[in-house]
Structure formats: structure tokens, C-alpha cells
Amino acid sequence: MTETPASGATIEIRGLSKEFGTFRAVDDVSFDVHPGRITGFLGPNGAGKTTTLRMILGLVRPTAGTATIGGRPYAAIHQPLRTVGAALEATSFHPGRSGRDHLRVLADTAGIPTTRVDELLELTGIPAAARKRAGEYSMGMRQRLGLSAALLGDPQVLLLDEPANGLDPEGIRWLRGFLRSLADSGKTILVSSHLLQEVEQTVDDVVIISNGRLVRSGAIAELHGPPTSLVRTSEPNRLIGALRVSDIEADLAADDPTAVIAVTEDLRLVGDVAHRSGLPVWQLNHRASDLESVYFELTEGTNRNLGATADASSPAPTEGADR
Ligand SMILES: Nc1ncnc2c1ncn2[C@@H]1O[C@H](COP(=O)(O)OP(=O)(O)OP(=O)(O)O)[C@@H](O)[C@H]1O
Ligand SMILES: [Mg+2]
């Protein structure tokens, strides 16, 4: 039987749940992550992102549900390092070992040639740091080393937990281009973040969780909603009436009594309607869709069905004790 399909592997999450004691950290989550695309795994702090990633990697046993990669649970993949690369938060490196040595040890255990180690240090932009003890690495350097380790076996699937944390703006831009080229080569990429803004320009798809529950999954373009225009005038209600007569959906803007939001990107049409109604136009422009507000709306106010409040009911983490 072949290890993975030649052209990518889909991650399938079905009804995945995890309870720590009575606290439900992940609650009946289902979604797919497709090859050739970058999927952003989003949610506020404590939403359950890392726990989900750990379940995909077989590091935490689900209370219910399944997570498979290319149709198999992680534990059933014969050469995991060559199939799935992962960089989880707070990945610990032996502090006294250099970055290069760290990767060499990993490469050795997986039968990967050491030439790949230098190739990756170069690729992730830390060749100069290769001889330095990992304990002396900055946060950004640790992220890059973690990414190198994840990529050692040239895996088909990449799971990255908050990889932009600690990167400078140049590093973030580099990461964006790097992930894009990997996705273009057909890899399946799941990248978590608690900030939509951070991944907005990077991802094709989003999976948003809040309080352990899935609140949205799909193409990021669908989050934007329909294109709208903003027009300011002396008599907004008259303009709204005129726009509706012309079959253009319109409403008052929430934050400005002179502003109307029209659901169209055709500025000329809106201007013509105003002109025909004899109304002055004080301002007319396309309205940038505010993804950040959409994200806040989606992740606010969803309550866990176990415990009083998320924080109060959350037991102290017993990292690693749950296997
Ligand atoms: N081993 C554990 N024992 C008990 N509770 C845990 C354990 N691991 C995670 N939790 C709890 O599960 C919830 C989800 O944690 P998780 O680390 O998955 O969130 P996250 O989405 O990765 O958050 P962040 O953005 O802060 O990294 C939190 O309330 C956390 O305290
Ligand atoms: Mg996390």
C-alpha cells in the first residue's frame, strides 16, 4: 500500500471533541483541510486550536471523533516525518545543542540525508545561527528552526501553530511567500493564529473556532460578504428610498447619521440615483469590508455548554499528562 497519495493529502476532522476533566476544550468540531491551499485555523486564546492540532498528531487522545490525514490517523502513518511536518507552540529544543545539530539528530532518526539540514537552514533564513546553541535563539529564530524541523522530510502536510509569533514584519512577509510556494507545489497547509489580520493576506480558507466550537469554515473570500459603497448626503433617508426604488439595497451606516451603505460596488449607479433625486453627494467611495469586525462577531458571545465561564471552569493545564 502506498504511504500517501502522490498529489496531496486531505486532513479530515470529524466530530472531534476533547474534555479535560469536565472542561470541554474542543467540542464536536468537523472540517477538511485541502491540498494546494493554505488554511487558517483561527480563534481567540484558549479556543482549542493547539488541542485540535495535538489531536491530529496523536499527541492528545480525543474524547470523541476522528482526525485523519490522507485517510489515516497519524499513528497509522509509517513514515510520519516524511508525510506530516508539524511545528507546535512552545516546541522545546535542547538548549545546549546547536540548531544544525538539532536538525541532524532528527534527520538521522528518519533516515534523511544531512545535506537536507543545510538546505533547510538556508531556506528558512537561519544559516548563520546554525552553530549557535538553540538555548540562545531569539523567538523568531526558534520559529524558523521549528519550521526547518517540520520541513525536514519534505512532508505533504504541514501543521503550523502560530508560526508568525515572534517574527518581525520582514519575517512575516517571508513566511507568507514561503507558505504560498509550498501550497502551490500541492502541499496541505494548516496554520493557526489568534489574529485574523495576521493571516488575512496569506490564507485561502479559514476555519474559525471559538470556545472549542466551530463557528465558520470555508473560503476567506466568503467572509467578506457582498461589496458595498458608502455615500454621504444631506438627506440619507431620501437617498435610501431612491436607491431601493432602483433595486439597490441600502441602509443607514451605524456610526454616521449622514452616511448610507449601498450594497453595490457600482459608484456611478449610486451617484446617478442621488443626482436624479436632487441630493448633494458629499462623499462616495467603495467601502473596505471589515474582516476584523466579522471575526469579532463570529468569535464573541459563543458560550461553552459546560461550566460557568471558560476561564473559571478551565482546570490548570496538565500538559503532556494526557495520553
Ligand atoms: N492538558 C490540558 N489540561 C487541561 N486543560 C487544557 C489542557 N490543554 C489545554 N487545556 C485547556 O483547553 C483550552 C484550549 O486550549 P488550547 O491550548 O487548545 O487553546 P488555543 O486555541 O491553542 O489558544 P492560544 O491562542 O492561547 O494558543 C484552554 O482553556 C486550555 O486551558
Ligand atoms: Mg495555542
Side-chain angles (χ1 to χ4, degrees):
M1 223 187 198
T2 51
E3 188 55 33
T4 39
S7 58
T10 300
I11 302 172
E12 290 183 352
I13 310 292
R14 294 291 176 272
L16 204 58
S17 298
K18 179 64 191 178
E19 286 172 13
F20 294 108
T22 57
F23 176 70
R24 189 168 281 225
V26 177
D27 190 1
D28 195 19
V29 165
S30 303
F31 61 90
D32 287 347
V33 185
H34 300 284
R37 298 175 75 79
I38 304 173
T39 301
F41 190 27
L42 298 164
N45 293 136
K49 304 179 295 295
T50 301
T51 304
T52 301
L53 294 175
R54 289 170 67 84
M55 285 195 278
I56 298 174
L57 292 165
L59 297 170
V60 163
R61 193 181 318 116
T63 307
T66 57
T68 57
I69 299 166
R72 292 169 180 222
Y74 186 86
I77 299 172
H78 295 307
Q79 291 185 298
L81 223 56
R82 291 183 183 275
T83 310
V84 186
L88 293 195
E89 68 180 7
T91 304
S92 54
F93 301 107
H94 190 297
R97 203 180 266 161
S98 74
R100 178 185 276 116
D101 284 346
H102 178 82
L103 294 182
R104 278 190 178 159
V105 171
L106 279 179
D108 276 354
T109 56
I112 293 161
T114 35
T115 48
R116 176 81 179 146
V117 167
D118 289 311
E119 195 180 306
L120 277 167
L121 289 166
E122 194 74 44
L123 209 61
T124 56
I126 48 170
R131 284 181 218 287
K132 214 172 167 174
R133 287 150 34 101
E136 293 162 11
Y137 278 23
S138 71
M139 175 106 167
M141 283 155 75
R142 276 204 302 279
Q143 287 284 24
R144 289 168 190 252
L145 183 60
L147 193 57
S148 302
L151 287 163
L152 262 186
D154 191 22
Q156 194 55 57
V157 175
L158 259 188
L159 304 178
L160 305 176
D161 199 7
E162 311 254 1
N165 265 3
L167 292 188
D168 51 30
E170 174 58 33
I172 289 177
R173 194 161 62 170
W174 165 80
L175 182 66
R176 191 172 291 155
F178 188 60
L179 294 183
R180 176 53 57 202
S181 67
L182 292 170
D184 286 348
S185 73
K187 297 194 191 295
T188 308
I189 302 177
L190 184 61
V191 44
S192 83
S193 177
H194 55 278
L195 289 173
L196 175 64
Q197 275 165 321
E198 192 175 77
V199 297
E200 193 181 326
Q201 295 174 57
T202 313
V203 304
D204 305 299
D205 295 326
V206 287
V207 171
I208 303 177
I209 61 169
S210 180
N211 290 333
R213 302 195 131 194
L214 184 84
V215 289
R216 186 80 168 248
S217 67
I220 190 158
E222 288 164 15
L223 272 190
H224 287 272
T228 54
S229 310
L230 181 141
V231 52
R232 288 179 62 234
T233 181
S234 55
E235 290 180 65
N237 285 318
R238 261 187 67 204
L239 180 60
I240 289 170
L243 285 165
R244 287 180 181 165
V245 167
S246 301
D247 279 336
I248 301 168
E249 223 183 289
D251 248 310
L252 274 177
D255 48 356
D256 180 348
T258 67
V260 172
I261 308 297
V263 186
T264 174
E265 56 187 339
D266 191 341
L267 297 182
R268 201 161 63 175
L269 194 59
V270 176
D272 285 350
V273 170
H275 180 71
R276 281 200 304 272
S277 315
L279 291 168
V281 171
W282 295 341
Q283 182 185 339
L284 178 57
N285 53 263
H286 290 131
R287 192 161 157 270
S289 74
D290 183 4
L291 269 191
E292 204 58 27
S293 320
V294 175
Y295 178 56
F296 278 133
E297 271 165 36
L298 286 171
T299 55
E300 251 175 16
T302 41
N303 290 314
R304 290 181 185 274
N305 54 11
L306 288 177
T309 67
D311 285 339
S313 64
S314 175
T318 49
E319 200 66 26
D322 177 82
R323 287 227 40 171

